[in-house]
Amino acid sequence: MAMLSVHTSPLHQPGTGDAGGMNVYIVEVSKRLAQAGVEIEVFTRTTGRDLPQCAELAPGVTVRHISAGPFEGLAKEDLPAQLCAFTHGVLGVEAARPPGWYDLLASHYWLSGQVGWLAKDRWGVPLVHTAHTLAKVKNLQLAAGDRAEPMGRVVGEEQVVEQADRLVANTPTEARELIDLYGAPLERVAIVAPGVDLQRFRPGSRAAARARLGLPERGRIVAFVGRIQPLKAPDVLIRALAESDSADVTALIVGGPSGSGLDRPTALIELADTLGVRDRVRFLPPQAGDRLADVYRAADVVAVPSHNESFGLVALEAQACGTPVVAAAVGGLVTAVRDGISGVLIDGHDPAIWGRVLDKLLAEPKRLAELSAGALRHAHDFSWDRTAERLLDVYGEAMTEHRARRELELAGCARW
Amino acid sequence: MAMLSVHTSPLHQPGTGDAGGMNVYIVEVSKRLAQAGVEIEVFTRTTGRDLPQCAELAPGVTVRHISAGPFEGLAKEDLPAQLCAFTHGVLGVEAARPPGWYDLLASHYWLSGQVGWLAKDRWGVPLVHTAHTLAKVKNLQLAAGDRAEPMGRVVGEEQVVEQADRLVANTPTEARELIDLYGAPLERVAIVAPGVDLQRFRPGSRAAARARLGLPERGRIVAFVGRIQPLKAPDVLIRALAESDSADVTALIVGGPSGSGLDRPTALIELADTLGVRDRVRFLPPQAGDRLADVYRAADVVAVPSHNESFGLVALEAQACGTPVVAAAVGGLVTAVRDGISGVLIDGHDPAIWGRVLDKLLAEPKRLAELSAGALRHAHDFSWDRTAERLLDVYGEAMTEHRARRELELAGCARW
């Protein structure tokens, strides 16, 4: 199968630039699909001079770099103008192969969905699309100071919803959004929960984790992990810290600037200065692999204050490490966190309320321990193996239906 | 042949929205190519519920409306996100035809060039592209308060320049810009001057024209014709009026708001108010056909103060009516106006200089009469018949070369 990921590569480090949970998703799912015998080619835009035309991500998973626009300096807003170029590259790869090389197209994010629409018709294969985020949802829950998503994206998403043979939603919430806001037909929406890497993200010594990351042994840590941009709302954690009564709490912000966060990359530091909590905020660049697990282990609580999340993989990773999560009650986070059992969900982003909830939680070691146990149990309901299994079912359905429809069309032609 | 005009339809009224000289170009050229026996299908985006799937523009010229995004409310900036949808529609029309239906693709403006790139490969035909305007040129000569063209367009244009079999430049200036700024290979650039409709635009009674338009019989009129946007600089004429000594001069502004001019459609009226010349400025909506010729006849002088023009069809139309033109010495206007013979070219946009030049000109009836005669002679060097003839040569060259290259490739395969 061909997997399309135009705007961000599975080879990128999540937590910086445009790379985030979707990159983890593509990597983990591709690996497991390949283990199940599916040959995967992931198409992504070339963003560096030294990138090879194709690279093996894992056995059976090839990443193909497609030239479409300059390697550097193109923002996500510039990418719609590059979709013809990208499509040209994708179609060129297929044209060099024997006919019928690909059986299925899976696209991630609307930009890829647009390319998938053209390739699907050309190749005569079904398209399974995963939106990951939706413009209409984002615009309804816009962070202060964030830019609304443009009409071009809204329309582009609507078209992909109309054209895809199957729409994969990460959560029931996302499925409802696809149906209510985008008019997706119920029978074409499949809910498939993302997973979490339970081998990498597992409980471990807090003291050892802090030592490895160079963090103080004592005191409490509330961690934020994600791209630094208004949508992810790391400022809410810093404001909550300023409202908090406990002086021994440190906010640990892990991630790099992204999207509209790039307009003022130092905004968070300035905010902490203004609020007089600069010495209680620590910043770390995006962390990979085991070091990321250490971040979750080092924290007493992980905060996910996003204005919107289609899922919120960070919340699940933290829980898999046994760390309770305090999250905004939006989008997929309502699924990713079980309120009162694996963490706490908060309505809205009022720093006073966030500060109070964090204070109360950190003052009750017994409750923290209970939530930690609940978090572990909850995380174990999710696994990438199960995600891949469910996806294989969805792919199979899409292919069967697509074949049946084509045969019907051909039969129709013959009768006529 | 398939002619691509994604963002503006040949059925639209020039002088409003995104319609301008390019629309006139496509209409006039298509008619004449059809008269020469070329079957033309013009593909453009559907912008109204009631538009038929196809319409006959003239014998042998069909306009095909392609659904790509909502009919209303999409700005030109939103169109890059609609290129996949548009391409899908164009490829669908061809797929319903016998193989080899089209022999040639001609694209107008970079958005169409992107679609042409994909269609060219799919159909195995050459692509002849006309840019009409170039982002790099526009950005070098940006009007105050106008927005720079985004990187996505610059890159998109570079790709089309690289992919097109022939690039049609309106003037030697545009050819040089394609070569110097976009790296176009000299041998692929063809200079083909646009024409002017000498039957419609011919001299006539000034008094009768003014009467038909409801303009005062007496006094002098300097007319501006074009879309109301910073690029076209109608404000320069109003500012020049305020600098002028002669109280009997009226500025006649003919056109509708467009592009970044839509941000503040009343800006020109406010400017005239502020400068105390509101009673000496008349506004008319875009005029069609014979009424447009009357505008040129009614004016003593036509002003074309644009910050950039790839050609400046208005200047040629005015001259064909025997009206001298005062124009900015930029882009194609240097070709469209012969300085001192058919009008006056001015460096820059200083209102004081523009006011002085207009005052001096209007005070010398003899010079005006000489320039009027020169304008008529100059305009008669241009005709759409000649434009169409030259284009047929360019199309023929592109097809011959393309066929030769394909045969060579096939021969290469056989030998290998």
Side-chain angles (χ1 to χ4, degrees):
Chain A
M1 64 182 278
M3 202 173 272
L4 305 176
S5 177
V6 174
H7 81 289
T8 176
S9 165
L11 302 176
H12 287 168
Q13 167 62 41
T16 189
D18 288 321
M22 185 183 117
N23 300 61
V24 176
Y25 187 105
I26 293 175
V27 170
E28 298 298 335
V29 160
S30 296
K31 279 185 193 168
R32 281 160 184 85
L33 289 172
Q35 280 160 13
V38 183
E39 194 85 15
I40 313 247
E41 298 183 22
V42 186
F43 291 82
T44 191
R45 199 175 77 85
T46 314
T47 52
R49 190 165 304 279
D50 302 327
L51 288 172
Q53 272 210 315
C54 65
E56 195 184 51
L57 176 71
V61 185
T62 308
V63 175
R64 295 198 172 278
H65 290 113
I66 301 292
S67 247
F71 302 144
E72 285 176 18
L74 269 198
K76 210 156 129 188
E77 299 81 64
D78 290 320
L79 288 183
Q82 285 306 311
L83 292 181
C84 282
F86 193 88
T87 304
H88 188 266
V90 172
L91 297 185
V93 168
E94 196 263 358
R97 295 294 179 72
W101 183 263
Y102 300 105
D103 297 305
L104 184 80
L105 274 155
S107 55
H108 295 275
Y109 197 67
W110 76 279
L111 293 167
S112 303
Q114 287 277 323
V115 175
W117 177 10
L118 280 173
K120 155 195 164 71
D121 265 34
R122 178 80 186 258
W123 302 347
V125 303
L127 171 68
V128 177
H129 179 70
T130 313
H132 293 280
T133 72
L134 293 165
K136 288 187 187 176
V137 176
K138 190 176 165 195
N139 287 349
L140 284 172
Q141 298 161 341
L142 208 61
D146 208 354
R147 287 185 286 266
E149 290 297 314
M151 177 138 179
R153 173 175 172 188
V154 171
V155 173
E157 286 178 344
E158 287 172 343
Q159 290 164 334
V160 176
V161 166
E162 198 184 319
Q163 297 293 332
D165 296 84
R166 278 290 183 284
L167 295 157
V168 173
N170 284 332
T171 63
T173 307
E174 193 188 347
R176 244 189 331 269
E177 289 160 350
L178 282 165
I179 293 162
D180 294 347
L181 300 177
Y182 286 85
L186 190 64
E187 66 277 14
R188 283 204 265 121
V189 178
I191 301 169
V192 181
V196 61
D197 183 341
L198 296 171
Q199 285 189 306
R200 166 157 294 154
F201 299 104
R202 56 179 201 279
S205 154
R206 175 159 302 157
R210 289 191 179 188
R212 282 192 291 266
L213 294 171
L215 295 169
E217 202 185 322
R218 287 166 178 283
R220 264 82 65 82
I221 292 177
V222 181
F224 164 94
V225 174
R227 282 167 283 159
I228 309 296
Q229 54 174 318
L231 172 70
K232 302 285 182 183
D235 61 295
V236 170
L237 175 55
I238 294 179
R239 289 178 208 277
L241 193 70
E243 300 274 344
S244 151
D245 298 326
S246 24
D248 78 328
V249 179
T250 299
L252 174 63
I253 311 277
V254 183
S258 167
S260 54
L262 287 164
D263 296 349
R264 283 187 57 224
T266 57
L268 273 194
I269 299 173
E270 289 160 21
L271 176 69
D273 264 335
T274 310
L275 297 175
V277 293
R278 179 67 190 88
D279 57 333
R280 290 164 62 201
V281 182
R282 301 274 301 240
F283 292 91
L284 280 180
Q287 301 292 312
D290 290 335
R291 281 181 67 89
L292 181 56
D294 273 342
V295 168
Y296 299 127
R297 290 179 196 127
D300 297 83
V301 169
V302 166
V304 185
S306 305
H307 288 276
N308 183 250
E309 284 290 346
S310 77
F311 187 64
L313 193 53
V314 160
L316 213 55
E317 290 171 349
Q319 292 169 86
C321 294
T323 308
V325 173
V326 174
V330 295
L333 288 170
V334 176
T335 305
V337 178
R338 290 192 70 192
D339 191 22
I341 289 170
S342 73
V344 181
L345 290 173
I346 301 180
D347 284 321
H349 298 84
D350 181 341
I353 297 176
W354 278 73
R356 225 175 303 139
V357 169
L358 286 171
D359 275 351
K360 191 154 172 277
L361 203 55
L362 293 171
E364 295 180 84
K366 192 164 159 280
R367 188 156 172 244
L368 266 184
E370 281 168 15
L371 290 176
S372 170
L376 258 179
R377 280 197 310 277
H378 181 53
H380 277 257
D381 286 346
F382 297 84
S383 86
W384 288 117
D385 286 334
R386 209 160 316 152
T387 307
E389 266 170 46
R390 273 288 290 134
L391 283 176
L392 275 176
D393 290 346
V394 175
Y395 295 163
E397 282 169 32
M399 285 167 67
T400 307
E401 253 185 55
H402 191 262
R403 206 174 300 126
R405 206 168 44 247
R406 292 198 87 184
E407 276 163 15
L408 213 67
E409 281 168 13
L410 289 175
C413 283
R415 272 204 304 277
W416 185 87
Chain B
M1 64 182 277
M3 203 173 272
L4 305 176
S5 177
V6 173
H7 82 290
T8 178
S9 165
L11 302 175
H12 287 167
Q13 167 61 42
T16 188
D18 287 322
M22 185 182 117
N23 300 61
V24 176
Y25 186 104
I26 292 175
V27 170
E28 299 296 336
V29 159
S30 296
K31 280 186 192 166
R32 281 160 182 85
L33 289 173
Q35 282 160 13
V38 183
E39 194 85 15
I40 313 248
E41 297 184 22
V42 186
F43 291 82
T44 191
R45 200 175 77 85
T46 314
T47 52
R49 189 165 306 280
D50 303 327
L51 289 173
Q53 272 211 316
C54 65
E56 195 185 52
L57 174 72
V61 185
T62 307
V63 175
R64 295 198 171 278
H65 291 113
I66 301 292
S67 246
F71 302 144
E72 286 176 19
L74 269 199
K76 209 154 128 191
E77 299 81 64
D78 289 322
L79 289 184
Q82 285 306 310
L83 293 182
C84 283
F86 193 88
T87 304
H88 187 265
V90 171
L91 297 185
V93 168
E94 195 263 359
R97 295 294 179 71
W101 183 263
Y102 300 105
D103 297 304
L104 184 80
L105 275 156
S107 55
H108 295 275
Y109 196 66
W110 77 278
L111 293 167
S112 303
Q114 287 278 323
V115 175
W117 176 12
L118 280 173
K120 155 196 165 71
D121 265 32
R122 178 76 185 260
W123 302 347
V125 303
L127 172 67
V128 178
H129 179 70
T130 314
H132 293 281
T133 71
L134 293 166
K136 288 187 188 176
V137 176
K138 191 176 164 194
N139 287 350
L140 284 173
Q141 298 159 343
L142 207 62
D146 207 353
R147 286 187 286 266
E149 290 297 314
M151 176 136 178
R153 175 175 170 187
V154 171
V155 173
E157 286 179 343
E158 288 172 342
Q159 290 164 334
V160 175
V161 166
E162 197 184 320
Q163 297 293 331
D165 296 84
R166 278 289 182 285
L167 295 157
V168 173
N170 284 332
T171 62
T173 307
E174 193 188 346
R176 243 190 330 268
E177 289 160 351
L178 282 165
I179 293 163
D180 293 347
L181 300 177
Y182 286 86
L186 190 64
E187 65 278 13
R188 283 204 265 121
V189 178
I191 301 168
V192 181
V196 62
D197 182 342
L198 296 172
Q199 285 189 306
R200 166 156 293 153
F201 299 103
R202 55 179 201 279
S205 154
R206 175 160 300 157
R210 288 192 180 187
R212 283 191 292 267
L213 294 171
L215 295 170
E217 203 185 319
R218 287 168 178 283
R220 262 83 62 85
I221 292 177
V222 181
F224 165 93
V225 174
R227 283 168 282 159
I228 309 296
Q229 55 174 317
L231 172 71
K232 302 286 182 183
D235 62 295
V236 170
L237 175 55
I238 294 179
R239 289 179 208 276
L241 192 70
E243 300 274 345
S244 150
D245 298 326
S246 24
D248 79 329
V249 180
T250 299
L252 174 64
I253 311 276
V254 183
S258 167
S260 54
L262 288 164
D263 296 350
R264 284 188 57 225
T266 57
L268 272 194
I269 299 173
E270 288 160 22
L271 177 68
D273 264 335
T274 311
L275 297 175
V277 294
R278 179 66 189 87
D279 57 332
R280 289 163 63 200
V281 182
R282 301 274 302 240
F283 292 91
L284 280 180
Q287 302 292 312
D290 291 334
R291 281 181 66 89
L292 181 56
D294 274 342
V295 168
Y296 297 128
R297 290 179 195 128
D300 298 82
V301 169
V302 166
V304 186
S306 307
H307 288 277
N308 184 249
E309 284 291 346
S310 77
F311 187 64
L313 193 52
V314 160
L316 213 55
E317 290 172 350
Q319 292 170 85
C321 294
T323 308
V325 173
V326 174
V330 296
L333 288 170
V334 176
T335 305
V337 179
R338 290 191 69 192
D339 191 21
I341 290 170
S342 73
V344 181
L345 291 172
I346 301 180
D347 283 322
H349 299 83
D350 181 342
I353 297 176
W354 278 73
R356 224 175 302 140
V357 169
L358 286 171
D359 275 351
K360 190 153 174 277
L361 204 54
L362 293 171
E364 295 180 82
K366 189 160 163 282
R367 185 152 177 248
L368 267 183
E370 280 168 16
L371 290 176
S372 170
L376 258 180
R377 280 197 310 277
H378 182 53
H380 277 257
D381 285 346
F382 297 85
S383 87
W384 288 116
D385 287 333
R386 209 160 316 155
T387 308
E389 267 170 45
R390 273 288 290 137
L391 283 177
L392 276 177
D393 289 345
V394 175
Y395 295 163
E397 281 168 32
M399 286 167 67
T400 307
E401 251 185 55
H402 190 262
R403 207 174 299 126
R405 204 166 46 245
R406 291 198 87 185
E407 276 163 17
L408 212 67
E409 280 168 13
L410 289 176
C413 282
R415 269 204 304 278
W416 185 85

